[in-house]
Amino acid sequence: MQKKNLIVFDIDGTLTDTVHLHQVAFKKGLQSIGVSAFNDAFSTYKHHTDLHIAKVIYESSTGNSFLPTTIHTFETFLYEEIKQATIQEINGAKKLVEKLEQHSDFGVCFATGSLYQPAVLKLNRIGIAFDPLQLVASNTIEERENIVNQAINNAKQYYNTPYFERIIAVGDGLWDLFTAKNLALEFIGIGNSNREIMQANGMFHHFEDLQDFTF
């Protein structure tokens, strides 16, 4: 079915309550591939994606290239670590995505800085069904803007439309807001952990969770 409009969802902190969980697993994952000390102020890295941050830390610490085999080992560790935890949705997430999928004018896709396997696990755990074309992760893309652009292009293919009249990015972090600004997309913020800093940087639309989300 063709859709006129598209909503691009971040996952961690936006659809799933997994920001802290992911960060803990990420730190353990770095140690599992031979990194003993690193800067864990992840918001200070140029690109807020698993691939970029892990690559910068791994290569600067070990002097080795962050090869696809290492990425796979790291991703598998993240998946196995996160799989052991209970994953909760951000209130209203599943219901909202299902409502949008049934909407005649709005389609959805998912653009995440996470690696792919953990992202799939999180969406599955909260009961969100999706086609592989609807999800783009950071396995081969370091920049969030390129991840979002790829997700939009994939969504055009999935929904069989050459363009969307309106595209709304939904996220919980300053990096999500900046990405939307850089791509000239509408933006809606979710959650309170980064609310003040997002408002200080030009966020106009915000919801505490997804139960009362409107667009």
Side-chain angles (χ1 to χ4, degrees):
M1 173 189 287
Q2 284 195 346
K3 301 290 183 90
K4 294 181 180 178
N5 310 296
L6 181 69
I7 297 187
V8 184
F9 286 102
D10 171 51
I11 296 177
D12 293 291
T14 301
L15 295 173
T16 60
D17 186 11
T18 48
V19 172
H20 178 70
L21 171 63
H22 191 94
Q23 288 180 350
V24 170
F26 190 91
K27 294 174 187 178
K28 291 181 179 178
L30 288 172
Q31 294 170 349
S32 77
I33 56 173
V35 178
S36 57
F38 51 88
N39 172 17
D40 64 357
F42 297 133
S43 62
T44 64
Y45 287 80
K46 183 177 181 180
H47 303 295
H48 199 79
T49 64
D50 280 3
L51 178 60
H52 175 75
I53 296 171
K55 179 182 178 181
V56 169
I57 291 173
Y58 179 79
E59 292 185 348
S60 63
S61 176
T62 67
N64 299 321
S65 296
F66 199 45
L67 299 174
T69 51
T70 311
I71 296 169
H72 177 71
T73 299
F74 180 69
E75 179 182 21
T76 300
F77 183 95
L78 285 182
Y79 173 85
E80 294 296 335
E81 192 73 16
I82 294 170
K83 186 173 72 171
Q84 301 175 47
T86 299
I87 296 175
Q88 302 288 345
E89 71 168 3
I90 299 299
N91 289 339
K94 181 176 183 288
K95 185 176 181 180
L96 173 62
V97 172
E98 290 176 345
K99 176 182 176 182
L100 288 168
E101 287 284 29
Q102 294 167 7
H103 198 290
S104 60
D105 288 338
F106 278 87
V108 302
C109 65
F110 311 97
T112 177
S114 167
L115 291 172
Y116 187 79
Q117 287 186 64
V120 170
L121 173 65
K122 293 164 193 169
L123 292 178
N124 285 341
R125 282 283 183 87
I126 66 169
I128 290 180
F130 61 94
D131 185 275
L133 269 179
Q134 291 176 284
L135 171 61
V136 177
S138 72
N139 291 57
T140 60
I141 308 174
E142 292 186 52
E143 305 85 356
R144 292 188 78 96
E145 287 82 358
N146 290 344
I147 291 172
V148 172
N149 268 332
Q150 185 63 58
I152 293 169
N153 288 333
N154 286 5
K156 289 176 182 177
Q157 180 181 347
Y158 179 69
Y159 290 112
N160 190 30
T161 184
Y163 70 97
F164 294 104
E165 295 177 6
R166 185 182 179 196
I167 302 177
I168 305 170
V170 182
D172 69 303
L174 191 58
W175 42 90
D176 298 311
L177 172 61
F178 285 161
T179 299
K181 281 187 171 185
N182 291 340
L183 297 177
L185 306 178
E186 294 182 53
F187 180 77
I188 297 176
I190 300 298
N192 292 325
S193 59
N194 297 304
R195 179 175 182 172
E196 291 185 4
I197 192 169
M198 288 195 291
Q199 287 177 328
N201 282 274
M203 178 185 72
F204 297 108
H205 304 289
H206 172 272
F207 296 95
E208 184 174 339
D209 56 32
L210 298 168
Q211 294 185 98
D212 299 316
F213 185 94
T214 57
F215 44 90

